[in-house]
Amino acid sequence: MQRKSPKKVLPLSKVYALLESGPVVLLTTANKKGANTMPMSWHTMMEFEPPYVGCIISDRNYSFNILKSTKECVISIPTKELLKKVVACGNTSGRDTNKFKTFGLTVATASAVKAPLIDECYVNLECKVIDTKLVKKYGFFVLEVIKAWIDSKNKMPQTIHHQGKGEFMVAGKIIKTSSKKK
Ligand SMILES: Cc1cc2nc3c(=O)[nH]c(=O)nc-3n(C[C@H](O)[C@H](O)[C@H](O)COP(=O)(O)O)c2cc1C
């Protein structure tokens, strides 16, 4: 017979914070008015190679229409040193703020998309939107990474992982196992 679970019921409103723990990234887009960036934690890998990434962008964000129309972006992975700037980018909108100038983020030219790379970030991924079928219903964009840049000197990138309500976990210890899977 199965026993009653000793665990407490968790309100459904708290579930997102348990599962969104991939690194917080900055999603940068560009149009005629210039470049803009926003933090994003609702993303998921979908294929090894070519790398496909699924991500949810709310249509309330300025970035939404730019991504939808230009069909390209850069995903940059910040480390804990950038946490304050990342949060500031999430509390402002590109509609009325030049976030790069205001928060002191350095842009660099990408090779295959108009949106810029962010120098201070440990990784920059140039992406094209390859599927918009679920955008209308869920704000879900499927991206293909077409070029990837990394700061190879950073051997222990302390990426930041959103826990909900302004709390973040910082990546730490790596444990190696004998798994042969990717
Ligand atoms: C840690 C963090 C994670 C976020 N993740 C997402 C996300 O996955 N999708 C989304 O649409 N908004 C997300 N946001 C909210 C946007 O970053 C925020 O609304 C931002 O101001 C939008 O900027 P924009 O109007 O310039 O596009 C997140 C914010 C923070 C602080």
Side-chain angles (χ1 to χ4, degrees):
M1 206 180 69
Q2 286 188 354
R3 69 190 178 114
K4 193 169 171 282
S5 170
K7 298 207 166 50
K8 263 176 55 185
V9 168
L10 180 73
L12 297 180
S13 63
K14 300 205 164 160
V15 170
Y16 82 96
L18 302 172
L19 289 177
E20 71 167 29
S21 53
V24 175
V25 299
L26 287 168
L27 181 127
T28 302
T29 47
N31 64 5
K32 277 182 271 164
K33 289 188 186 152
N36 180 51
T37 195
M38 60 160 262
M40 173 178 77
S41 47
W42 287 13
H43 55 79
T44 179
M45 284 312 303
M46 297 176 72
E47 179 56 281
F48 289 113
E49 201 177 340
Y52 292 167
V53 182
C55 57
I56 302 275
I57 313 286
S58 160
D59 62 5
R60 289 187 297 271
N61 293 329
Y62 178 62
S63 306
F64 176 89
N65 276 328
I66 305 178
L67 183 61
K68 202 170 152 209
S69 58
T70 62
K71 293 201 158 51
E72 53 180 49
C73 65
V74 170
I75 287 182
S76 302
I77 308 183
T79 46
K80 71 167 191 198
E81 297 73 22
L82 287 180
L83 180 56
K84 278 196 180 145
K85 294 185 183 194
V86 169
V87 171
C89 288
N91 288 326
T92 46
S93 176
R95 281 184 198 96
D96 49 34
T97 306
N98 179 330
K99 300 187 200 179
F100 295 100
K101 267 196 193 153
T102 310
F103 306 123
L105 291 166
T106 317
V107 290
T109 311
S111 69
V113 297
K114 291 209 176 71
L117 314 176
I118 301 179
D119 264 359
E120 288 84 357
C121 287
Y122 148 70
V123 159
N124 286 289
L125 307 172
E126 298 181 30
C127 303
K128 293 270 188 197
V129 174
I130 56 163
D131 194 334
T132 54
K133 281 189 208 79
L134 295 177
V135 167
K136 200 167 173 209
K137 195 163 181 192
Y138 298 110
F140 188 85
F141 292 82
V142 181
L143 312 175
E144 177 178 343
V145 180
I146 53 171
K147 186 87 184 176
W149 305 92
I150 188 160
D151 173 4
S152 54
K153 291 188 294 294
N154 191 345
K155 302 286 182 216
M156 283 283 284
Q158 289 185 293
T159 50
I160 49 185
H161 302 255
H162 193 214
Q163 303 280 282
K165 302 228 160 134
E167 284 184 9
F168 296 83
M169 183 175 72
V170 177
K173 204 162 129 191
I174 291 172
I175 299 170
K176 290 200 173 159
T177 71
S178 57
S179 169
K180 290 188 176 54
K181 298 259 174 177
K182 269 192 188 182

